[in-house]
Amino acid sequence: MDIEKMRKWLEITNDYRESNFWSNVLKQKHPDEFFREAVCNPKFDIYLNENYYLIIFEIPGVNQEDLSLNLITNSQLKINGRIKPVLPVEMEMQRERIYGDFERIIELPEPTQAHLMQTQLYNGLLHISFPRKNSY
């Protein structure tokens, strides 16, 4: 995005408005931020075999200590955490990855109990497995 073109456009639009609406908006947020994804919403897949369900979340850059899983009800799982930048923001030249807090609540394919769930974090993927009802 060409910032100079954006500034010129703002000057032109402000000539036709009584207030500096766009200037006030852009004081709060840089133009590039309007096009960034605002919320980190980890993607997941669900698999099953004869005995188990397996849920795999994509959470690259999340450390175990920055991750929390809670079974809200016996059929709702909440995952939340924080993705931290690898290097200081001052070094950033371009950013496509999203950093910050995230939270996602998903419906489980069938009810389960927290003590039956097993988790493993490996290579940016969170594996959550639990037995199917007919197998316990």
Side-chain angles (χ1 to χ4, degrees):
M1 175 179 287
D2 186 348
I3 299 299
E4 288 306 314
K5 286 181 182 178
M6 179 69 107
R7 284 191 183 122
K8 183 64 177 169
W9 180 78
L10 290 174
E11 290 172 14
I12 293 168
T13 59
N14 282 334
D15 289 343
Y16 295 98
R17 300 187 60 84
E18 292 182 19
S19 71
N20 286 332
F21 171 79
W22 287 110
S23 296
N24 292 334
V25 168
L26 295 175
K27 283 179 187 173
Q28 298 173 16
K29 192 184 274 192
H30 189 274
D32 286 344
E33 292 180 44
F34 286 104
F35 301 104
R36 287 188 183 158
E37 206 174 318
V39 177
C40 177
N41 204 7
K43 293 176 175 46
F44 69 95
D45 297 324
I46 300 177
Y47 302 91
L48 80 136
N49 65 20
E50 290 179 12
N51 299 314
Y52 287 90
Y53 287 101
L54 174 63
I55 304 170
I56 300 176
F57 279 95
E58 289 182 356
I59 52 171
V62 176
N63 297 319
Q64 185 79 34
E65 61 271 8
D66 296 323
L67 183 63
S68 174
L69 293 170
N70 295 303
L71 202 55
I72 298 172
T73 67
N74 63 357
S75 60
Q76 283 188 321
L77 177 67
K78 179 169 96 172
I79 174 175
N80 60 325
R82 174 171 290 178
I83 302 172
K84 296 177 184 174
V86 178
L87 298 171
V89 173
E90 297 80 25
M91 295 176 65
E92 185 177 290
M93 291 181 60
Q94 178 179 342
R95 179 173 61 152
E96 292 184 2
R97 296 183 60 222
I98 298 171
Y99 301 105
D101 296 333
F102 65 87
E103 178 178 292
R104 180 123 194 218
I105 298 173
I106 66 166
E107 291 291 323
L108 298 175
E110 72 180 44
T112 190
Q113 299 169 13
H115 73 277
L116 297 174
M117 300 182 90
Q118 297 180 350
T119 63
Q120 179 185 17
L121 182 60
Y122 180 72
N123 280 348
L125 297 175
L126 175 64
H127 299 242
I128 303 167
S129 63
F130 60 95
R132 294 178 66 180
K133 271 199 170 203
N134 63 1
S135 65
Y136 65 88

